Amino acid sequence: MHGYLIAVAKSANIEVEPNEKITAIFKRVREGHPKLNYIGPRATEIGLVLKAGATIIDSINTVRNNASVAHPNEEVVPEAEAMFLINMIRSMLHYIEMKLKS
């Protein structure tokens, strides 16, 4: 997700700082990409949900680094929670892809 967001930012000439956190990049892309800046019906509520996406990404990133097999961790989250987190990221990726294709 981190690398994907960097690529999306670069494709839209959105500047990303070296070692910038994934949540900050998500915010830059969400607010700075012309196709991702939502201004339709219920924009305030949709904006709140999208902002919450940054919190979700941050929490999933912490779990990935400290409780998954992505790194040598002794304890990992159970399968049900792992699939839930994976599907959250998939939903975000799907949303971004749909917006970029429109």
Side-chain angles (χ1 to χ4, degrees):
M1 181 74 163
H2 200 157
Y4 174 74
L5 289 173
I6 290 171
V8 169
K10 286 184 179 180
S11 72
N13 295 317
I14 298 170
E15 191 172 320
V16 176
E17 301 295 325
N19 301 316
E20 189 165 2
K21 293 182 83 174
I22 191 171
T23 52
I25 298 168
F26 181 68
K27 180 179 180 180
R28 282 181 193 260
V29 168
R30 184 176 51 79
E31 293 176 351
H33 197 292
K35 291 188 174 184
L36 294 172
N37 191 2
Y38 183 76
I39 55 171
R42 307 307 305 183
T44 300
E45 290 81 5
I46 298 295
L48 290 172
V49 172
L50 292 171
K51 286 180 185 177
T55 301
I56 292 168
I57 289 170
D58 187 47
S59 296
I60 291 174
N61 195 45
T62 300
V63 172
R64 178 194 174 277
N65 290 337
N66 299 301
S68 79
V69 295
H71 295 284
N73 296 302
E74 290 185 27
E75 294 185 330
V76 298
V77 295
E79 183 179 1
E81 285 74 14
M83 288 308 302
F84 173 71
L85 300 177
I86 289 167
N87 286 326
M88 293 293 291
I89 293 295
R90 281 178 153 171
S91 292
M92 290 181 193
L93 290 170
H94 181 71
Y95 169 75
I96 294 168
E97 283 292 307
M98 285 185 70
K99 294 296 285 186
L100 294 178
K101 288 179 182 177
S102 63

